[in-house]
Amino acid sequence: MENGAEDTKDPSGFLTNIIGKNVLVKLNSGVIYKGRLQSVDGYMNIALDDCNEWSEGQEVRKYGEAFVRGNNVQYISADT
């Protein structure tokens, strides 16, 4: 590697592998959604099933399905 640069990794493989699994999605606002990942696109738009909204460590709402616009997503984590 030139100048100590590391290879960047494409997250699409990770996202494809966790479709159908439980995930935690943190928004830029600090709100967290936990649910089963149904789909994600190149803009990080996310569809969740069996979704719960969490804020300040407490469950706020339960949704059957939720859609999160990608520009609001800070990160997605596989929920173990």
Side-chain angles (χ1 to χ4, degrees), residues 33-47:
Y33 287 96
K34 294 181 181 181
R36 190 171 51 250
L37 183 64
Q38 292 303 305
S39 65
V40 62
D41 66 13
Y43 297 102
M44 295 289 285
N45 294 320
I46 298 168

Side-chain angles (χ1 to χ4, degrees), residues 5 7 17 22 27 35-36 48-49 52 63 65 72 79-80:
D7 286 331
N17 288 337
N22 289 333
L27 305 186
R36 190 171 51 250
L48 297 172
D49 215 7
N52 299 323
Y63 301 100
E65 297 177 330
N72 294 311
D79 194 19
T80 56

Side-chain angles (χ1 to χ4, degrees), residues 3-74:
N3 297 329
E6 294 185 21
D7 286 331
T8 57
K9 294 185 180 182
D10 182 1
S12 62
F14 166 73
L15 294 171
T16 300
N17 288 337
I18 62 171
I19 289 178
K21 298 189 176 158
N22 289 333
V23 295
L24 180 148
V25 179
K26 184 170 184 180
L27 305 186
N28 295 327
S29 66
V31 172
I32 293 173
Y33 287 96
K34 294 181 181 181
R36 190 171 51 250
L37 183 64
Q38 292 303 305
S39 65
V40 62
D41 66 13
Y43 297 102
M44 295 289 285
N45 294 320
I46 298 168
L48 297 172
D49 215 7
D50 299 326
C51 181
N52 299 323
E53 179 181 337
W54 293 74
S55 182
E56 298 180 8
Q58 298 208 6
E59 186 175 6
V60 178
R61 290 183 189 90
K62 292 185 180 190
Y63 301 100
E65 297 177 330
F67 180 81
V68 180
R69 188 171 174 192
N71 65 340
N72 294 311
V73 175
Q74 186 175 17

